[in-house]
Amino acid sequence: MAPAAAAADRDAGYRASGDGLSAVVRYTEYGVPHIVAKDYAGLGFGTGWAQAADQVCVLADGFLTVRGERSRYLGAAGAPDGSLSSARTNLASDLYFRGVREAGTVERLLAAPAPAGPGREVRELMRGWAAGYNAWLKRNKVTDPACAGAGWVRPVTALDVARRHFALAVLAGEGGAVDAVTDARPPGAASVAPADPDRTAKAARALTPAGSTDMGSNAVAFSGATTRTGRGLLLGNPHYPWHGGRRFWQVQQTIPGVLNTSGATLLGGVVVTIGFTEKVAWSHTVATGVPFSLRQLTLDPADPTVYLVDGRPERMTRRTVTVPVKDGAPVTRTQWWTRYGPVVTALGSAPLPWSAAAAYALSDPNTGNLRLPDTGLGFARARSTAGMLAVLRRVQGLPWVNTIAADAAGHTLFTQSQVLPRITDELAERCSTPLGRVVYPASGLAVLDGSRAACSPGSDPDAVQPGVFGPSRMPVLRDAPYAANSNDSAWLANADRPLTGYERVFGTVATERSLRTRGGIEDVSALAARGGLTVADLQRHQFANRATAGTLAAADAAKACPAVLPDAPEACAVLGRWDRTMRTSSRGALLFDRFWRRFAAGTASAGAPVWRVPFSAADPVRTPHTLNTASPAFGKALGDAVAELRAAGIPLDAPLGDHQYVVRGGKRIPVPGGTEALGVWNMTVPVWNAGAGGYTEVRHGTSHVQAVGWNGGRCPVARTLLTYSQSSNPLSPHYRDQTELYAAGRWVTARFCERDILADPHLRVVRVHG
């Protein structure tokens, strides 16, 4: 039987029947669904139905991806949205995901008994989700212009839902190297240059989850010792794409007497990913752990598709994949796989040449991890931060995030519990290749000698799968007055209780922190010291929009400005008057932002320091500091920023919101916040279009925000905000409503308890069934 036919047969075994499944979906203001069902399959059914109603086009596009059918419907040269892999073209995406499909990778994971594989409840949720999505398609007309009438909007199977979860699990490993996997070819006769260590280390840092250009997050938990009620508080602020398949979607999921949780899930998800219950609240931040490693293979001189392990030859496995292409002939390519994983010929922009003597294989333990939804389900049933930690230790399903949590009893938790290859510093010292001896200390990515079986990671006795760290080896901080993370390593989750002793693959210790981390620690530690905190304090902190770079550098820049811009006194005055925030009303924020981008890039390219006082591990929150205005990049960056704004007709003191905005339904909506480089907690990564008046769209940034606490009653005190709103459909009433709230710094009062749901004057009840 041909591989494609075999894959189709396997799919048939996972058809989603909606017979007998039902749920009640109660919509409150801003289109937030509260789904009630009698069992997990019914809960999945209601969730799939409601997600389809809001996001059918984005979901359908993602299912095209994981089925390997983008080229068939959209053409080989088109580009995916990047939400489920790094593939640059539809063809590369299809070659990878069709290969996963034909290899039966996800089916094997589904067949594994828990805890190695997903539990029965998650399988039922996936079955129900697919049935609910299909039932919505059958009974509703697609109105979203993005896919109305498109032939690729089709029913899905429970296996498709599982494949989407697999894609998220490997996003920072195999999924981040799709082009390198599908482009790999055995060498010809020509010689090739070896891999460059410095370039490879730089690429590795950029490819790790915390170095991603479209994901990040902040979160802070405060203990009862710092709060007015003596109970915990949590502020979660993930930074995710505003467009495409990695958007969050708000929901409350309830099985009476069994489960009741509220928050958000990524599109296609079957459980709440970030959220809260009656007793506990949690969020995630993208972690610094490197979830993959490389093996440098020693090849048989007579055959570059044979590699040696302990002197014995092993032939690479050929994975030949054929992709149907719209208006063209099918494309067939071969991928090369080893005992360690696929052969890759690049790491981001850094070549990893496949020569006659050596090749590189990527090893990603998350290819054995389909436990992400079990983790979210476990959190939904936990009653405390201790219970959440127990879930993480039992399930071990988080591929690339930290967890920060607080509970109603006043406890806090930070932990970097993620699925990481068991790369100890001792193993790296013993088994790194010459390339690895440079790359591992610089980035945490191990490049190990693949010719020695003894160089494979061993197993921890408390790990649920071979070759990964067990939970006893992971950084954990419990019951600190505050526990915070802004995508730096675990070291300064609390500056007064630094975490050390973990392996380099988890992240660094005693190294310079980002401006966002530094500003966040300054602010949350001051809040904790002040005490008496409430949910309202979390809300104010989220929208303070303080630019840490401005606090540190604006006064120095304004003081040095007249000497480098004698003909632009207005610019110097604007910098001096700027309030050091990225609020939409802030005047001078745009000028500083455009200057700072240039200055940071200019000093980096010239090898000059940004700051005159260097970093000190003894004072990591306050160093480095004092702007290096003597750098030649300073005057050039400031002058170029002034010239750019003037050429665009933008006043130097224009309010930020006049020129940092999005357009929804023909309406311009100002957007607050700033970039990682500025060190703003409320991150906004906008798209610059000077001809259209400034920053005219948001690429990624603050997404689903939640501020949660407890006051002794049965209902948590929660405020939420989905910055880009619940639906991508421009015809939906929930296409821009929360975006307008975000512009005004307003929040949604979460309706968690039954009385609050029923009291909503906008309540709309929909009974859905198969």
Side-chain angles (χ1 to χ4, degrees), residues 98 241 279 336 341 348 390 402 424 451 480 512 529 536 602 655 665 684 694 727 758 768:
R98 189 167 283 260
K279 296 292 185 183
W336 299 89
N402 305 303
T424 64
S451 71
E512 186 175 339
T684 295
S727 177
L758 296 177
V768 299

Side-chain angles (χ1 to χ4, degrees), residues 222 226-229 232-235 527 530-544 705-711 717-720 745-749:
F222 291 100
T226 71
T227 67
R228 182 178 297 175
T229 64
L233 289 172
L234 178 96
L235 175 61
L527 286 170
R530 192 192 79 196
L533 302 179
T534 66
V535 167
D537 291 302
L538 304 185
Q539 293 175 261
R540 283 188 288 271
H541 174 63
Q542 177 62 42
F543 283 115
V705 195
Q706 59 177 21
V708 185
W710 296 267
N711 60 11
V717 179
R719 305 291 183 266
T720 67
R746 295 169 54 202
W747 297 69
V748 177
T749 299

Side-chain angles (χ1 to χ4, degrees), residues 185-468:
R185 302 284 183 279
S191 61
V192 294
D196 177 82
D198 292 332
R199 186 175 178 184
T200 305
K202 183 178 180 181
R205 288 192 295 271
L207 285 178
T208 55
S212 168
T213 59
D214 65 355
M215 291 198 300
S217 298
N218 306 301
V220 59
F222 291 100
S223 78
T226 71
T227 67
R228 182 178 297 175
T229 64
R231 302 174 186 277
L233 289 172
L234 178 96
L235 175 61
N237 171 217
H239 306 146
Y240 272 61
W242 274 38
H243 306 274
R246 225 180 304 146
R247 281 173 53 129
F248 284 105
W249 179 81
Q250 290 180 291
V251 66
Q252 182 175 7
Q253 295 181 309
T254 304
I255 301 175
V258 176
L259 177 80
N260 192 13
T261 184
S262 184
T265 183
L266 293 174
L267 289 178
V270 298
V271 296
V272 167
T273 305
I274 288 175
F276 58 92
T277 69
E278 182 182 335
K279 296 292 185 183
V280 68
W282 71 95
S283 196
H284 297 299
T285 59
V286 176
T288 54
V290 182
F292 63 97
S293 59
L294 293 175
R295 298 297 190 281
Q296 187 166 328
L297 308 175
T298 299
L299 303 180
D300 184 332
D303 187 343
T305 65
V306 174
Y307 59 102
L308 306 178
V309 180
D310 293 337
R312 291 187 293 273
E314 290 191 16
R315 185 165 296 280
M316 295 177 185
T317 300
R318 297 168 62 106
R319 182 180 288 182
T320 301
V321 179
T322 298
V323 172
V325 175
K326 180 181 180 181
D327 300 327
V331 174
T332 299
R333 297 272 177 83
T334 298
Q335 302 162 30
W336 299 89
W337 291 70
T338 71
R339 64 157 66 183
Y340 306 114
V343 175
V344 293
T345 50
L347 189 67
S349 60
L352 292 172
W354 186 349
S355 70
Y360 297 87
L362 186 145
S363 182
D364 178 4
N366 280 292
T367 58
N369 173 23
L370 200 59
R371 301 182 298 275
L372 178 60
D374 285 273
T375 306
L377 186 58
F379 285 174
R381 297 187 293 206
R383 307 287 291 174
S384 64
T385 56
M388 296 187 70
L389 190 58
V391 169
L392 289 167
R393 288 172 172 165
R394 181 179 71 253
V395 178
Q396 300 172 36
L398 296 180
W400 32 261
V401 292
N402 305 303
T403 301
I404 297 89
D407 65 26
H411 301 292
T412 61
L413 172 69
F414 164 86
T415 178
Q416 187 180 350
S417 296
Q418 59 173 132
V419 176
L420 291 180
R422 191 180 173 277
I423 308 293
T424 64
D425 293 348
E426 183 277 330
L427 177 67
E429 175 63 27
R430 175 166 50 87
C431 287
S432 287
T433 66
L435 178 65
R437 293 192 181 280
V438 175
V439 173
Y440 182 73
S443 68
L445 171 65
V447 185
L448 303 178
D449 183 354
S451 71
R452 292 186 283 157
C455 289
S456 292
S459 294
D460 282 340
D462 54 346
V464 300
Q465 72 179 80
V468 302

